Amino acid sequence: MNDKPKLAVFKFSSCAGCQLQIVNLEEYLLDIAALVEISYFVMAKRENADAIYDIGLVEGAVTCGEEIEKIKEVREKCKLLIAFGSCACYGGIPSMKNLVPEREVEKRVYEDVSVIHSTKAFGIDQYVRVDGYLKGCPVDKDELVELIKSALLGVGPNLRPHCVCVECKLRENVCLFVSKGKVCMGSVTSAGCGALCPSLNRPCEGCRGPMNDPNAPSLARTFMEYGLTREDVARKFRKYAGETEAFRKGAEAV
Ligand code: SF4
Ligand code: SF4
Ligand code: SF4
């Protein structure tokens, strides 16, 4: 009898980029497969078991009534439920639509909206209890391995509480914001990506959502001093995590 812990991966409204990071683990995949039974993973397996799972990774925002029911069913089936990626954590990119009336959004996409019942896009904790969050758009592979190891050991993962700027300094990058005037979300954004974008000469766009206790209004005012319009500032804070209280304060500060 197979007594390995069962892992399941579920998709809601998303681009599937976070699930793809599991497949991209490559050098770790055989080790992971030796330790857990990948019971449900539609992207990667033809046959998927309907069961009680030890670890459930949920990708994507909840954006319709059908998904509200589905996330409740998934919660019932998973002993440990992880919001997997910024869409599942905060609503992510789909939540950009939340400021526009829902019917208007539907009409932009569908000719006949009579059978469409979409809702505002929220992270999964709007509807169910969540045991952990793995941020990122997409999630970071090292953090994913850390999460799986921690889950198997029954301890909390060692995820970073500080901002991207700390990792940027650890990589000895010259600050793009201070030295080149490129407006950067790094000082309010949760670390864990290794300052990926600034290390490639691109400012941080805030894809991992807010760090612990950020001062988003202060950064919003600084963005204005650097020439951004109010609308530009709001867009910066609403792109990935506009439904979080911290980034909403940034979007509404100026
Ligand atoms: S968080 Fe980003 S990469 Fe992951 S599913 Fe959402 S849009 Fe795709
Ligand atoms: S480039 Fe961005 S992330 Fe790096 S130190 Fe400057 S503000 Fe922080
Ligand atoms: S630097 Fe910012 S935008 Fe780039 S991956 Fe990290 S958190 Fe996301």
Side-chain angles (χ1 to χ4, degrees):
M1 188 181 132
N2 185 353
D3 56 2
K4 287 191 285 190
K6 290 184 170 57
L7 176 78
V9 183
F10 301 96
K11 183 183 186 310
F12 283 70
S13 293
S14 59
C15 79
C18 287
Q19 294 182 66
L20 197 58
Q21 288 290 69
I22 302 174
V23 180
N24 287 342
L25 283 176
E26 293 168 353
E27 69 266 39
Y28 299 109
L29 268 183
L30 288 178
D31 291 334
I32 291 171
L35 293 170
V36 301
E37 179 191 334
I38 301 175
S39 300
Y40 188 94
F41 188 5
V42 172
M43 176 190 273
K45 290 180 68 194
R46 196 169 292 130
E47 291 178 14
N48 292 281
D50 186 14
I52 298 296
Y53 311 104
D54 296 282
I55 307 166
L57 305 179
V58 176
E59 176 198 78
V62 175
T63 64
C64 63
E66 192 184 2
E67 288 184 339
I68 295 171
E69 294 313 309
K70 184 177 155 195
I71 191 63
K72 289 176 183 169
E73 287 169 21
V74 166
R75 173 70 268 186
E76 292 288 310
K77 291 179 182 172
C78 296
K79 294 178 188 170
L80 196 69
L81 190 72
I82 307 295
F84 186 56
S86 293
C87 290
C89 290
Y90 315 118
I93 285 178
S95 70
M96 276 195 285
K97 72 170 183 160
N98 287 3
L99 286 184
V100 181
E102 197 57 32
R103 210 55 168 172
E104 206 177 296
V105 176
E106 291 174 351
K107 283 178 183 166
R108 283 188 201 174
V109 182
Y110 300 100
E111 201 168 310
D112 176 9
V113 294
S114 63
V115 293
I116 305 298
H117 305 292
S118 66
T119 60
K120 298 292 178 201
F122 292 118
I124 61 173
D125 65 4
Q126 180 82 3
Y127 302 104
V128 296
R129 177 176 55 81
V130 170
D131 301 306
Y133 298 82
L134 203 62
K135 305 169 183 178
C137 181
V139 296
D140 178 81
K141 287 199 282 183
D142 290 336
E143 284 199 328
L144 173 55
V145 172
E146 166 73 19
L147 178 95
I148 293 172
K149 281 196 295 191
S150 308
L152 293 174
L153 292 169
V155 297
N158 183 23
L159 303 179
R160 293 138 194 91
H162 46 258
C163 67
V164 172
C165 289
V166 174
E167 294 181 316
C168 201
K169 293 295 104 189
L170 286 172
R171 293 186 70 160
E172 301 187 354
N173 293 335
V174 173
C175 178
L176 299 171
F177 203 171
V178 172
S179 70
K180 296 186 181 169
K182 293 186 179 181
V183 292
C184 182
M185 291 283 286
S187 61
V188 296
T189 299
S190 187
C193 62
L196 179 63
C197 301
S199 303
L200 296 169
N201 204 29
R202 296 177 63 87
C204 172
E205 290 293 334
C207 85
R208 296 175 56 87
M211 64 177 287
N212 287 1
D213 198 22
N215 191 345
S218 173
L219 184 63
R221 288 190 287 274
T222 306
F223 281 170
M224 294 284 285
E225 288 166 20
Y226 275 72
L228 265 62
T229 63
R230 285 191 165 77
E231 291 74 23
D232 288 339
V233 172
R235 275 191 210 104
K236 283 270 175 210
F237 285 97
R238 289 196 177 116
K239 192 168 176 185
Y240 292 97
E243 289 297 338
T244 61
E245 189 187 352
F247 277 12
R248 194 180 307 128
K249 280 182 185 169
E252 293 171 357
V254 292

